[in-house]
Amino acid sequence: MAAESGTNWVLTVTAQTPTNIAVIKYWGKRDEDLILPINDSISVTLDPDHLCTTTSVAVSPAFTHDRMWLNGKEVSLSGGRYQNCLRELRSRASDVEDEQKGIKITKKDWEKMHVHIVSYNNFPTAAGLASSAAGLACLVYSLAKLMNVRDDHSRLSAIARQGSGSACRSLYGGFVKWIMGKEENGSDSIAVQLADEKHWDDLVIIIAVVSSRQKETSSTSGMKDTVETSMLIEHRAKVAYTFDAGPNAVLISHNRKAAALLLQRLLFCFPPNSDTDLNSYVIGDKTILKDAGIQNMKDIEALSPPPEIKDNQTQKYRGGVSYFICTRPGRGPVVLTDESRSLINPETGLPK
Ligand SMILES: Nc1ncnc2c1ncn2[C@@H]1O[C@H](COP(=O)(O)OP(=O)(O)OP(=O)(O)O)[C@@H](O)[C@H]1O
Ligand SMILES: C[C@@](O)(CCOP(=O)(O)OP(=O)(O)O)CC(=O)O
């Protein structure tokens, strides 16, 4: 292993992975360890320009153990899910050679080499906006690139699934199905792309962020309780709804015109507090705001009540929503080759 260059080198890879919102939800497992669901699910991958995880991973002979930093804090990698992903990836790693840096890592070396993982979500973590999906997909994707894992995206999706179920769908852009599979070992429980992000270009997704605080019940324990206590769970599969496991509403509009009308109504009912500025109240794809004819706070105050409300008695909930994110279907994971986007210091192998 890198005999020529001693133990000073650090090899890094940085990747960016999107989040996804399910329209047919995964909610309930038939196997808790392998993370095998009780139904197929379908999701839309959201534009990573608005919501994404960026993860840098590094390997160096100088590292003494696997370590991870999430959103600036060191977190433990000892959990079974992280360990399962790391084990699966190591077993599929191939030789890596960087002639310029004089680095050579053989397939066998990966068993004893340690990695550093530095990850950052540009949206609230553990708040019901699928951070575990983008996060675990990015961890698996970036490590697969670092370790030269040659498996295709569907095989990688089966590894990401073992980190967090919904993560398997973040390996693709556009419209994605997680096939529940039948095998006991989970080998056929994989994600596939149904259509790419261009397929329904006009689709607009507006997320009303009511709270970005960490939710009290994780999806993992929430769905476990449902499976254990709900007599109706078996009838649920194929019903679609638009809330994830948190308070934040996700509204999917079939075209931009309908989205502009929807945004007008949302801003009428949920106007911002007077000290908020429009730029931070509606983030993401701001062109929808323009389509809705809203350029400043005065335009919000001047909005008429939704015409479909007959008695015009629509109540306003000022400050009821923290902010809105306007987004659209987006691409799948990418490697970021620009060194300046790396979250890891290439000299020390520690977070920048
Ligand atoms: N970038 C990341 N890298 C690694 N792990 C992450 C990352 N982001 C989130 N996670 C893990 O996912 C957990 C949050 O998962 P959880 O399912 O509870 O919330 P969520 O995915 O944000 O919401 P939901 O599943 O309801 O949409 C975090 O506590 C952390 O363990
Ligand atoms: C409501 C959901 O977002 C639930 C996601 O649950 P997770 O994938 O976070 O759960 P674990 O597999 O236990 O990590 C619905 C969905 O994404 O399909």
Side-chain angles (χ1 to χ4, degrees):
M1 170 203 345
E4 311 91 283
S5 56
T7 57
N8 282 334
W9 55 265
V10 178
L11 188 64
T12 66
V13 167
T14 299
Q16 189 189 59
T17 298
T19 179
N20 71 74
I21 181 76
V23 286
I24 295 182
K25 304 280 181 191
Y26 144 56
W27 195 252
K29 301 180 182 63
R30 65 176 199 277
D31 185 312
E32 291 280 336
D33 297 321
L34 289 171
I35 310 197
L36 299 175
I38 56 171
N39 62 279
D40 292 347
S41 55
I42 292 181
S43 60
V44 186
T45 296
L46 303 183
D47 190 337
D49 284 348
H50 308 138
L51 299 114
C52 70
T53 295
T54 304
T55 301
S56 294
V57 290
V59 62
S60 167
F63 296 168
T64 53
H65 56 290
D66 294 335
R67 295 174 77 182
M68 179 164 88
W69 292 262
L70 174 57
N71 299 329
K73 279 202 188 117
E74 182 155 14
V75 292
S76 166
L77 271 177
S78 64
R81 290 168 167 217
Y82 289 126
Q83 288 304 315
N84 288 346
C85 291
L86 286 168
R87 193 192 57 247
E88 293 278 330
L89 287 162
R90 281 195 166 100
S91 73
R92 290 170 164 78
S94 314
D95 295 358
V96 171
E97 204 167 350
D98 185 326
E99 282 184 14
Q100 254 184 350
K101 292 187 179 167
I103 297 169
K104 186 166 176 17
I105 308 169
T106 67
K107 183 174 168 52
K108 208 153 173 27
D109 289 334
W110 284 109
E111 284 165 25
K112 47 186 188 299
M113 294 211 62
H114 299 289
V115 291
H116 285 183
I117 302 162
V118 182
S119 189
Y120 174 74
N121 300 326
N122 74 350
F123 62 96
T125 298
L129 290 174
S131 67
S132 63
L136 269 299
C138 209
L139 180 139
V140 168
Y141 182 77
S142 52
L143 283 173
K145 293 287 168 196
L146 182 78
M147 296 179 174
N148 195 15
V149 173
R150 296 198 181 119
D151 297 29
D152 63 16
H153 278 211
S154 73
R155 295 309 330 151
L156 291 184
S157 80
I159 304 178
R161 186 202 77 226
Q162 295 174 59
S164 179
S166 53
C168 71
R169 298 186 311 239
S170 271
L171 261 302
Y172 296 94
F175 301 83
V176 186
K177 179 174 182 178
W178 174 8
I179 302 166
M180 63 180 281
K182 289 193 176 70
E183 298 295 333
E184 263 182 50
N185 66 5
S187 56
D188 56 351
S189 188
I190 55 167
V192 293
Q193 188 181 54
L194 298 175
D196 73 15
E197 58 275 25
K198 303 260 164 26
H199 173 75
W200 193 345
D201 210 19
D202 219 15
L203 193 75
V204 177
I205 296 134
I206 301 180
I207 306 172
V209 180
V210 177
S211 166
S212 46
R213 282 197 15 226
Q214 180 158 350
K215 56 195 170 126
E216 277 156 31
T217 308
S218 71
S219 296
T220 307
S221 73
M223 69 177 79
K224 193 161 183 272
D225 289 350
T226 310
V227 170
E228 281 167 8
T229 60
S230 169
M231 287 185 295
L232 296 174
I233 183 73
E234 62 184 285
H235 304 293
R236 187 205 71 88
K238 297 281 176 260
V239 177
Y241 55 98
T242 50
F243 270 86
D244 249 4
N248 303 317
V250 178
L251 306 154
I252 302 176
S253 181
H254 65 288
N255 65 28
R256 290 182 63 92
K257 198 168 162 213
L261 294 174
L262 173 64
L263 192 59
Q264 285 175 347
R265 283 155 177 74
L266 288 169
L267 292 173
F268 175 85
C269 295
F270 299 96
N273 288 321
S274 52
D275 57 349
T276 312
D277 82 297
L278 186 58
N279 228 6
S280 52
Y281 195 58
V282 180
I283 63 171
D285 178 5
K286 291 181 199 282
T287 59
I288 304 290
L289 255 187
K290 220 170 142 204
D291 290 4
I294 296 164
Q295 284 170 25
N296 51 45
M297 296 300 235
K298 278 199 197 123
D299 294 335
I300 296 185
E301 296 308 324
L303 283 169
S304 338
E308 58 274 15
I309 308 287
K310 287 197 185 67
D311 55 7
N312 273 352
Q313 290 301 305
T314 325
Q315 213 172 330
K316 290 198 179 198
Y317 299 92
R318 192 174 294 281
V321 168
S322 302
Y323 59 96
F324 291 96
I325 306 172
C326 294
T327 188
R328 59 171 102 87
R331 61 162 191 266
V334 289
V335 168
L336 304 177
T337 46
D338 177 358
E339 284 279 329
S340 69
R341 311 259 325 250
S342 175
L343 306 175
I344 292 185
N345 178 329
E347 307 293 322
T348 62
L350 294 169
K352 272 185 181 165

